[in-house]
Amino acid sequence: MSSQLLRDARQHEEIFEKNIGKEDRPAFHLSSRVGWMNDPNGFSRYNGEYHLFYQYYPYAPHWDSMHWGHAVSRDLLHWEYLPASLAPDTKYDNFGCFSGSAIEMPDGKQLIMYTGVVKEMNKEGIYTDVQTQCIAVGDGINYEKYENNPVLDEKDLPEGGSRVDFRDPKMWRNEDGTLSCVVANRAYDHTGSLLIFNSENGFDWKYEKTLAFNHGKYGSMWECPDYFEMNGKHVLLLSPQDMYPVDMEYHNGNGTVCLIGHIDDTTGEFVEEYNQAIDYGIDFYAPQTILTEDGRRVMIGWMQNWDTCSMHSEDRAWVGQMSIPREIDIQNGRLLQKPIRELENLRTDCVTYQNVKVSGVQTLEKVNGRCIDMEVTIRPEDKENLFRELTINLAQDDKFKTSISYRPQEAILKIDRKFSGSTKAVIHQRRAKVYSQSEELKLRIIMDRYSVEIFVNDGEQVMTATIYTRLSAQNISFQCDGAAMIDVTKYDLTE
Ligand code: FRU
């Protein structure tokens, strides 16, 4: 039986989505059906389709009492909205149904594990969160919350673990059919840690161990962990809050980290061998991964950052998009990301240019558009006399542009959306050090109506930014201080 709160949300989204035209949304990125979206949740395969739930407040374009929105897809690019699946309608989640994951069960049902949040007054008289893990079971459309919720609460925490920050369970199935999950927790030293719990049946869960402690190295609390093995390595994806920048890494405040390592045989703890940001742009947070039927690990993230949410005005009908799903790999101790190959099915109208000299401003016939897949390879015209900066201007008209600039002498790539149509003084620029091994820099730029994702050197790094430029700004130009040679291959992407 669905609650009044859930019925209200379902009715609201059905009515208000009608006010949003097709062009008002991204063409191939999932956006909030109405109102607000943050983290991807329950990214999973179920009944032969991909399901993606999301943190959702349907009634306004800002964060508020969290529901779960829901969409389904066959190719991870074309999404169909389903009715909202969870509302904060019980005594253990009435402040919000926070992030979690989903998995198909042997009996054909889909099991969701999410964080239930309530507010309780502490000894100092201040209201704080109490976070527990809860279960809901459903058929891909309707979900029933488990009668014995919550299934994990403060009794299940290791000593010193906080019940205020205990959230975002990510489940997986082990080879023997049992389930495990990793949950983020604020540990005894007040910074993040990751806890592992196990279950035979998905309903009864037991604490196994603390997999990793932050000890303040990466921000404060950790959010939305994911954990898997790949190419002989153990991989952790994390979204730490309040990070300090370190040289050219971790400039996002609320950032993302990929840790690559192994498990210590005696302690069972994760040992870090390598760390990097998952995304070096502005808008990427809280990613989750799945395994596709053909064994690819695909990651999707919330294409927004908590530090820049205030760029959205209150009159928008939807706020929040997901990134392009990215196939990920671990090679030579680094994370590689590529747009999922299904995107190639959307390509039309190929235009190619080889060895174009850019010195000053240059446009190329038919190289324009707002929904594009464009590869640009950049090299100096004269290796002994490097150009100072090459800039690619996207979504450009007489007033607006979003720029990607490369300075080979410093190996710095910059995205700048200052002139993308935003009227808010939030962060609009991000720089990344690019680790090019050769004299060439290879960029693959995936642009949708309201976003740009730049895959650098075959996915060694990615920079993501949302833009809300008027759609008539369709031009692309190249500009060089000095002389550079470029190859360009551009496709339009159709819906
Ligand atoms: C991450 C996060 C999660 C939490 C959710 C609440 O963006 O803060 O930790 O579950 O958002 O909406």
Side-chain angles (χ1 to χ4, degrees):
M1 259 295 286
S2 66
S3 66
Q4 189 60 43
L5 264 189
L6 187 61
R7 286 197 297 276
D8 288 349
R10 288 177 166 192
Q11 192 185 27
H12 178 87
E13 59 185 7
E14 232 182 284
I15 296 169
F16 282 86
E17 77 171 348
K18 297 198 173 77
N19 298 338
I20 305 172
K22 208 172 160 209
E23 293 256 306
D24 301 333
R25 289 186 182 282
F28 50 92
H29 289 78
L30 181 68
S31 54
S32 179
R33 187 169 179 184
V34 291
W36 169 266
M37 160 197 276
N38 57 287
D39 315 351
N41 291 160
F43 189 24
S44 54
R45 276 193 290 138
Y46 177 65
N47 265 344
E49 290 184 309
Y50 294 106
H51 283 249
L52 184 57
F53 304 81
Y54 52 91
Q55 289 286 280
Y56 185 36
Y57 183 64
Y59 303 107
H62 57 241
W63 190 93
D64 207 316
S65 117
M66 280 292 107
H67 296 56
W68 275 36
H70 192 183
V72 73
S73 174
R74 289 199 172 270
D75 63 358
L76 295 165
L77 294 168
H78 297 90
W79 293 97
E80 183 197 326
Y81 291 112
L82 293 178
S85 56
L86 299 178
D89 51 14
T90 71
K91 63 179 190 315
Y92 50 82
D93 64 14
N94 59 25
F95 187 72
C97 300
F98 278 18
S99 287
S101 50
I103 206 158
E104 182 159 353
M105 296 301 281
D107 65 359
K109 298 261 170 56
Q110 193 179 31
L111 185 113
I112 285 175
M113 191 179 202
Y114 70 98
T115 300
V117 185
V118 295
K119 286 280 182 198
E120 234 179 70
M121 199 187 277
N122 68 12
K123 286 185 229 108
E124 287 82 43
I126 298 165
Y127 277 101
T128 55
D129 280 12
V130 178
Q131 305 189 337
T132 59
Q133 313 319 316
C134 306
I135 295 290
V137 176
D139 60 2
I141 295 180
N142 295 307
Y143 296 82
E144 199 76 49
K145 291 179 183 171
Y146 178 44
E147 58 193 3
N148 295 328
N149 274 341
V151 296
L152 289 172
D153 63 17
E154 58 187 298
K155 293 192 296 298
D156 303 288
L157 293 172
E159 208 177 325
S162 159
R163 63 183 198 146
V164 177
D165 288 296
F166 175 39
R167 61 181 176 272
D168 309 338
K170 174 74 195 322
M171 289 183 286
W172 67 90
R173 190 177 302 287
N174 300 302
E175 267 169 23
D176 63 2
T178 59
L179 296 176
S180 297
C181 69
V182 58
V183 190
N185 185 220
R186 195 182 288 272
Y188 64 90
D189 65 354
H190 304 296
T191 75
S193 67
L194 300 180
L195 311 181
I196 300 287
F197 297 89
N198 300 319
S199 173
E200 300 271 332
N201 56 12
F203 297 90
D204 305 303
W205 290 85
K206 274 215 160 56
Y207 172 75
E208 180 198 329
K209 64 176 179 184
T210 300
L211 177 67
F213 287 99
N214 181 11
H215 293 317
K217 186 171 176 194
Y218 302 105
S220 54
M221 173 64 183
W222 284 346
E223 300 191 305
C224 300
D226 201 343
Y227 174 47
F228 48 87
E229 281 183 59
M230 193 171 229
N231 298 344
K233 294 288 178 194
H234 290 247
V235 182
L236 283 173
L237 306 182
L238 305 167
S239 296
Q241 296 180 307
D242 313 314
M243 292 183 85
Y244 290 112
V246 181
D247 299 325
M248 291 301 292
E249 298 273 338
Y250 309 131
H251 289 195
N252 272 329
N254 291 284
T256 53
V257 179
C258 172
L259 302 181
I260 300 170
H262 63 272
I263 300 297
D264 184 295
D265 286 342
T266 43
T267 62
E269 267 186 49
F270 178 85
V271 181
E272 176 194 322
E273 293 166 20
Y274 181 80
N275 72 80
Q276 69 171 91
I278 301 173
D279 196 284
Y280 290 82
I282 305 170
D283 293 310
F284 191 85
Y285 197 71
Q288 273 197 351
T289 68
I290 48 160
L291 276 178
T292 58
E293 194 142 28
D294 55 2
R296 291 173 286 160
R297 188 154 293 265
V298 171
M299 173 178 77
I300 204 161
W302 176 38
M303 200 158 49
Q304 177 72 65
N305 182 291
W306 288 115
D307 293 86
T308 58
C309 292
S310 58
M311 79 189 264
H312 301 291
S313 56
E314 277 295 306
D315 56 7
R316 296 215 25 223
W318 63 268
V319 164
Q321 311 175 58
M322 294 300 167
S323 73
I324 197 81
R326 302 171 182 179
E327 290 179 21
I328 62 172
D329 198 3
I330 300 292
Q331 271 178 33
N332 304 323
R334 285 195 64 101
L335 174 71
L336 292 181
Q337 305 175 52
K338 290 202 167 87
I340 41 158
R341 60 194 70 164
E342 283 81 350
L343 191 68
E344 288 156 34
N345 301 332
L346 273 50
R347 286 172 167 178
T348 59
D349 300 312
C350 179
V351 196
T352 302
Y353 292 88
Q354 295 287 324
N355 271 321
V356 179
K357 180 173 166 181
V358 187
S359 182
V361 180
Q362 173 93 44
T363 55
L364 298 172
E365 209 186 321
K366 294 206 174 134
V367 174
N368 53 26
R370 279 294 279 272
C371 297
I372 61 161
D373 182 347
M374 179 167 77
E375 224 168 74
V376 183
T377 305
I378 305 165
R379 51 184 172 273
E381 191 208 21
D382 173 4
K383 286 181 209 161
E384 308 305 320
N385 181 20
L386 287 182
F387 57 91
R388 211 175 74 83
E389 185 172 72
L390 180 116
T391 299
I392 307 171
N393 296 306
L394 304 162
Q396 188 177 21
D397 62 12
D398 54 352
K399 197 165 176 186
F400 300 122
K401 63 181 179 187
T402 292
S403 309
I404 303 164
S405 307
Y406 174 47
R407 292 182 171 219
Q409 292 162 44
E410 298 142 49
I412 294 288
L413 188 69
K414 182 177 86 175
I415 181 148
D416 185 346
R417 60 165 184 201
K418 207 186 306 95
F419 303 107
S420 68
S422 168
T423 54
K424 302 282 182 236
V426 297
I427 294 289
H428 288 314
Q429 287 187 4
R430 188 69 73 217
R431 288 180 171 78
K433 188 113 188 151
V434 288
Y435 304 96
S436 178
Q437 302 295 321
S438 72
E439 278 143 9
E440 286 189 350
L441 184 79
K442 219 163 125 185
L443 305 178
R444 183 165 168 203
I445 299 166
I446 307 295
M447 183 160 59
D448 199 342
R449 292 190 186 109
Y450 304 108
S451 61
V452 181
E453 290 164 277
I454 310 160
F455 294 78
V456 185
N457 290 330
D458 297 311
E460 282 176 6
Q461 285 162 292
V462 187
M463 297 180 85
T464 300
T466 54
I467 58 169
Y468 296 91
T469 320
R470 62 189 176 201
L471 291 179
S472 55
Q474 296 265 338
N475 295 338
I476 294 174
S477 66
F478 303 86
Q479 190 173 348
C480 190
D481 183 352
M485 304 301 290
I486 58 170
D487 304 333
V488 179
T489 300
K490 187 222 113 184
Y491 300 87
D492 288 323
L493 294 171
T494 54
E495 266 175 80

